């Protein structure tokens, strides 16, 4: 807006209409005092000041205005009829004015000057606004930068305080960051720790992981610096992605050496204990069998007790055999006596044994096809007995078990054991073949150690068999495996 200051009403009116016609917003004041009041209240782009006014004259008004910080830059045009000589003109400029026009006013000249000054003022105002917004942008960025530097520092401190060794590499595998724990195992921040001679080199591991673009988790032994000690660590390497592209890799080594040693000691204990238990148990079994054979009394009670003792000895024997099997699997000493045998026959015999041992259960079974399998007959029979006795054990109320075997078009034999018992919760199913794993629900109501399926899985793996379980809690389970067969008419093809 433009402020026109003149003590003469007619001057105010004619200037106002001239400027309004050219679309300038205009305000007026008829004295210097009123002008100062208005200037403090409103913002003006330009002030047109009559020099000669009663009371405060134009120069005084201009001087005062240029003293206010709010208006120090507001341009002023003086209008004067008399003070046209040089002395007055310079006084006008010194008091902060920008231009000077003498009366009578040439409207074209005035408009030209108003236009220029108005535009200048507008540009200056815009520049000021831009400067203010740029300043606040810079402040904002500075603050964000500071905050992210603080966050980075905080994350770094967290990484330094965790017991794990951590590192990051760029997308191509070049080392970027390692925490201080790294230096307990590696000679420098750019080198990988030395691995045990039986374990892969870490450079190769990283290279392979990056080329496959997949996360990795593996156990690896790394050497504690300045010692001969290798400690087991769980190495995990995971990609960091941005817009579906891998931008870096983050790795951690977690020390699991103590747990590994504890597991090794437990395995050792199981092995020694089961060996130590086996010898006296074999003697007890022998003596009780001798007692059974040489017993002269006809007492039914004594015969029953001996039979029950032998039954319990058998259970203990199976348990010790299972524990010994675990030790053998752990130490890689589980031997398979591989040869071709009639699988169908073995299946029929096993079904018969189960029928006789558990007469209260109904075992439905259609004769197995006459197929030959190249494998360890006794071990595969052990698997079958494990599946069948589990089916019986975990079906206390539904005493119907189905055994089914059929040859598939690819010549594999599919064997299924179905029960209608307690079933297995979905969350337990993926782990059911793990060592010592027992489903939470059944472990409360049934005795067991959770090793039968683990041994069965190991035996089946050694026969290239595919195995698994399908189960609906409350409705029963199906344990199955498929095993390759050879043709009975040409057994050695
Ligand atoms: P154990 O029966 O001695 O616990 P296994 O290794 O034979 O050991 O079985 C592991 C677990 O699998 C069992 O504890 C049980 O929870 C579950 N399981 C195995 N077979 C069945 C089945 N037929 N029905 C329900 N649960 C089963």
């Amino acid at each position: 807006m433009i402020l026109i200051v003149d003590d003469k009403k007619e001057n105010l009116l004619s200037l106002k209409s001239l400027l309004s016609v050219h679309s300038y917003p205009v305000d007026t004041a008829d004295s210097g005092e009123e002008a100062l009041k208005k200037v403090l209240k409103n913002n003006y782009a330009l002030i047109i000041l009559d020099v000669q006014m009663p009371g405060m004259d134009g120069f005084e008004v201009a001087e005062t205005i240029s003293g206010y910080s709010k208006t120090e830059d507001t341009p002023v045009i003086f209008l004067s009829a008399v003070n046209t000589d040089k002395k007055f003109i310079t006084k006008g400029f010194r008091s902060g004015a920008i231009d000077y026009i003498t009366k009578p006013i040439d409207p074209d000249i005035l408009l030209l000057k108003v236009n220029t000054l108005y535009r200048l003022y507008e540009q200056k105002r815009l520049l000021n606004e831009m400067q203010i917004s740029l300043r606040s942008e810079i402040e904002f960025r500075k603050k964000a930068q500071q905050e992210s530097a603080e966050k980075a520092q905080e994350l770094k401190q967290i990484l330094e305080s965790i017991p794990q060794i951590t590192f990051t590499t760029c997308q191509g595998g070049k080392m970027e960051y390692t925490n201080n724990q790294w230096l307990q195992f590696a000679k420098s921040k750019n080198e990988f720790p030395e691995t045990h001679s039986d374990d892969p080199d870490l450079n190769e591991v990283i290279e392979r992981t990056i080329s496959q673009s997949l996360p990795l988790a593996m156990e690896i032994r790394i050497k504690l610096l300045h010692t001969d000690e290798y400690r087991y660590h769980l190495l995990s390497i995971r990609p960091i992605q941005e817009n579906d592209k891998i931008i870096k890799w983050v790795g951690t080594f977690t020390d699991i050496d103590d747990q590994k040693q504890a597991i090794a000691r437990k395995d050792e204990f199981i092995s020694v204990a089961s060996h130590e238990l086996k010898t006296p148990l074999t003697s007890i079994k022998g003596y009780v069998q001798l007692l059974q054979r040489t017993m002269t009394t006809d007492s039914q009670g004594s015969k029953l007790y001996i039979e029950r003792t032998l039954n319990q000895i058998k259970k203990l024997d199976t348990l010790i055999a299972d524990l010994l099997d675990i030790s053998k699997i752990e130490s890689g000493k589980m031997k398979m006596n591989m040869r071709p045998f009639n699988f169908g026959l073995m299946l029929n015999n096993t079904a018969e044994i189960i029928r006789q041992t558990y007469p209260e259960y109904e075992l439905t079974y259609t004769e197995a096809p006459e197929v030959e399998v190249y494998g360890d007959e006794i071990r595969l029979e052990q698997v079958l007995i494990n599946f069948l006795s589990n089916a019986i054990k975990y079906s206390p109320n539904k005493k119907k078990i189905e055994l089914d075997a059929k040859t598939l078009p690819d010549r594999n034999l599919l064997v299924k054991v179905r029960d209608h018992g307690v079933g297995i919760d979905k969350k337990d199913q993926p782990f059911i073949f793990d060592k010592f794993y027992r489903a939470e629900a059944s472990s409360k109501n049934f005795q067991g150690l959770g090793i039968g399926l683990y041994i069965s899985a190991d035996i089946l793996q050694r026969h290239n068999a595919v195995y698994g379980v399908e189960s609906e809690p409350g409705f029963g389970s199906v344990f199955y495996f498929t095993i390759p067969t050879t043709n009975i008419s040409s057994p050695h093809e």
Side-chain angles (χ1 to χ4, degrees):
M1 199 151 56
I2 299 173
L3 177 65
I4 310 168
V5 190
D6 202 313
D7 59 320
K8 292 191 188 71
K9 277 241 165 24
E10 60 277 18
N11 288 351
L12 282 179
L13 274 173
S14 68
L15 272 177
K16 186 176 177 180
S17 58
L18 173 70
L19 295 175
S20 301
V21 164
H22 289 84
S23 309
Y24 290 107
V26 176
D27 194 7
T28 56
D30 57 10
S31 69
E33 290 80 358
E34 199 195 346
L36 289 183
K37 272 191 215 153
K38 287 203 163 187
V39 155
L40 286 175
K41 229 164 79 191
N42 311 318
N43 285 326
Y44 296 107
L46 173 66
I47 300 168
I48 302 176
L49 254 180
D50 183 24
V51 173
Q52 275 201 313
M53 286 185 293
M56 267 184 120
D57 73 12
F59 298 131
E60 284 174 84
V61 176
E63 241 173 62
T64 317
I65 287 172
S66 67
Y68 298 155
S69 63
K70 181 185 170 198
T71 50
E72 60 184 353
D73 291 329
T74 314
V76 174
I77 299 178
F78 287 113
L79 303 177
S80 172
V82 280
N83 299 318
T84 45
D85 67 42
K86 207 174 154 196
K87 187 176 103 202
F88 289 106
I89 293 173
T90 45
K91 182 171 181 194
F93 277 103
R94 270 215 311 278
S95 62
I98 302 288
D99 219 328
Y100 205 107
I101 289 184
T102 51
K103 290 179 182 172
I105 297 163
D106 178 337
D108 290 337
I109 301 274
L110 179 73
L111 279 173
L112 262 176
K113 294 196 174 189
V114 165
N115 186 30
T116 312
L117 290 175
Y118 200 88
R119 249 202 359 250
L120 266 175
Y121 177 83
E122 273 302 305
Q123 280 168 356
K124 203 166 166 185
R125 194 179 57 80
L126 281 175
L127 271 174
N128 273 345
E129 273 175 14
M130 261 159 73
Q131 201 181 21
I132 289 167
S133 92
L134 272 175
R135 263 206 203 112
S136 79
E137 174 78 18
I138 289 169
E139 279 308 309
F140 176 78
R141 288 192 183 199
K142 259 196 200 156
K143 208 166 150 225
Q145 221 169 18
Q146 193 184 346
E147 272 172 13
S148 76
E150 278 168 13
K151 197 97 214 134
Q153 182 62 21
E154 192 186 319
L155 286 176
K156 210 172 148 198
Q157 276 169 358
I158 291 172
L159 287 178
E160 291 302 342
S161 62
I162 60 171
Q164 274 94 346
I165 303 167
T166 57
F167 66 94
T168 63
T169 76
C170 72
Q171 168 246 341
K174 193 169 172 292
M175 196 64 87
E176 280 182 342
Y177 165 81
T178 55
N179 66 355
N180 283 330
Q181 283 76 306
W182 182 266
L183 293 174
Q184 291 174 8
F185 291 85
K187 287 193 195 107
S188 78
K189 290 219 159 200
N190 298 318
E191 279 172 90
F192 281 111
E194 186 188 319
T195 55
H196 191 274
S197 55
D198 292 342
D199 293 343
D201 180 77
L202 279 170
N203 283 299
E204 284 165 26
V205 174
I206 302 275
E207 230 170 76
R208 197 165 3 106
T209 310
I210 290 176
S211 71
Q212 290 170 346
S213 296
L214 287 174
L216 167 115
M218 71 181 289
E219 290 181 1
I220 198 159
R221 279 163 289 182
I222 54 175
K223 187 164 175 271
L224 202 56
L225 220 56
H226 314 305
T227 70
D228 294 329
E229 189 187 352
Y230 288 89
R231 290 186 70 81
Y232 263 106
H233 281 76
L234 180 68
L235 167 61
S236 147
I237 307 176
R238 306 197 138 265
I240 303 280
Q241 294 191 324
E242 223 175 70
N243 302 327
D244 288 340
K245 266 188 78 183
I246 294 175
I247 51 157
K248 63 170 69 210
W249 294 85
V250 176
T252 53
F253 287 90
T254 308
D255 193 325
I256 51 165
D257 204 73
D258 292 344
Q259 288 99 307
K260 282 294 247 189
Q261 284 188 28
I263 291 170
R265 279 198 294 274
K266 183 203 68 199
D267 288 345
E268 172 75 10
F269 172 76
I270 291 174
S271 168
V272 171
S274 42
H275 268 111
E276 292 299 317
L277 285 170
K278 194 161 176 61
T279 321
L281 186 71
T282 312
S283 306
I284 293 171
K285 192 171 156 190
Y287 284 125
V288 177
Q289 280 170 341
L290 206 63
L291 194 65
Q292 192 181 37
R293 256 180 264 136
T294 55
M295 200 166 56
T296 47
T297 164
D298 276 343
S299 155
Q300 285 308 309
S302 304
K303 279 185 182 163
L304 186 70
Y305 296 145
I306 288 186
E307 223 164 79
R308 285 189 180 164
T309 310
L310 278 170
N311 242 342
Q312 294 303 320
I313 289 173
K314 202 171 155 211
K315 279 190 188 162
L316 211 54
D317 209 23
T318 316
L319 186 65
I320 291 172
D322 278 354
L323 288 173
L324 280 170
D325 279 350
I326 289 249
S327 311
K328 283 182 201 155
I329 293 173
E330 296 309 315
S331 58
K333 286 187 189 141
M334 173 94 125
K335 296 271 177 310
M336 292 289 136
N337 184 13
M338 306 293 268
R339 57 175 188 80
F341 69 95
N342 187 328
F343 197 91
L345 203 62
M346 182 273 275
L347 217 63
N348 295 343
N349 291 340
T350 311
E352 208 38 56
I353 293 170
I354 293 290
R355 271 201 192 111
Q356 280 170 16
T357 321
Y358 303 96
E360 69 279 24
Y361 277 79
E362 184 194 342
L363 174 63
T364 59
Y365 167 59
T366 39
E367 294 260 310
E370 288 274 303
V371 283
E372 190 181 81
V373 163
Y374 182 75
D376 187 323
E377 183 173 357
I378 292 174
R379 288 295 183 186
L380 287 172
E381 185 186 66
Q382 183 182 348
V383 172
L384 214 57
I385 289 176
N386 178 234
F387 280 13
L388 285 166
S389 49
N390 273 351
I392 286 165
K393 176 159 130 190
Y394 295 104
S395 312
N397 301 322
K398 293 264 164 54
K399 300 197 173 346
K400 193 172 166 194
I401 313 292
E402 292 147 51
L403 173 62
D404 183 40
K406 64 170 183 239
T407 323
L408 302 174
D410 59 5
R411 273 180 47 189
N412 280 334
L413 184 73
L414 170 65
V415 181
K416 282 184 184 177
V417 176
R418 180 191 298 274
D419 66 62
H420 303 274
V422 295
I424 303 164
D425 207 290
K426 286 269 173 293
K427 75 171 171 32
D428 291 312
Q429 289 179 22
F431 311 107
I432 215 74
F433 289 92
D434 289 358
K435 189 165 56 166
F436 301 131
Y437 193 89
R438 307 200 70 217
E440 203 184 325
S442 56
S443 61
K444 288 188 196 121
N445 305 319
F446 302 92
Q447 280 189 343
L449 286 181
I451 50 183
L453 287 181
Y454 172 69
I455 298 168
S456 297
D458 186 78
I459 295 169
L460 289 169
Q461 279 162 24
R462 285 147 173 272
H463 287 82
N464 295 324
V466 176
Y467 57 89
V469 62
E470 285 160 7
S471 182
E472 195 61 47
F475 292 95
S477 316
V478 181
F479 279 83
Y480 64 87
F481 63 85
T482 57
I483 191 162
T485 62
T486 53
N487 197 332
I488 211 143
S489 53
S490 54
H492 302 296
E493 69 176 324

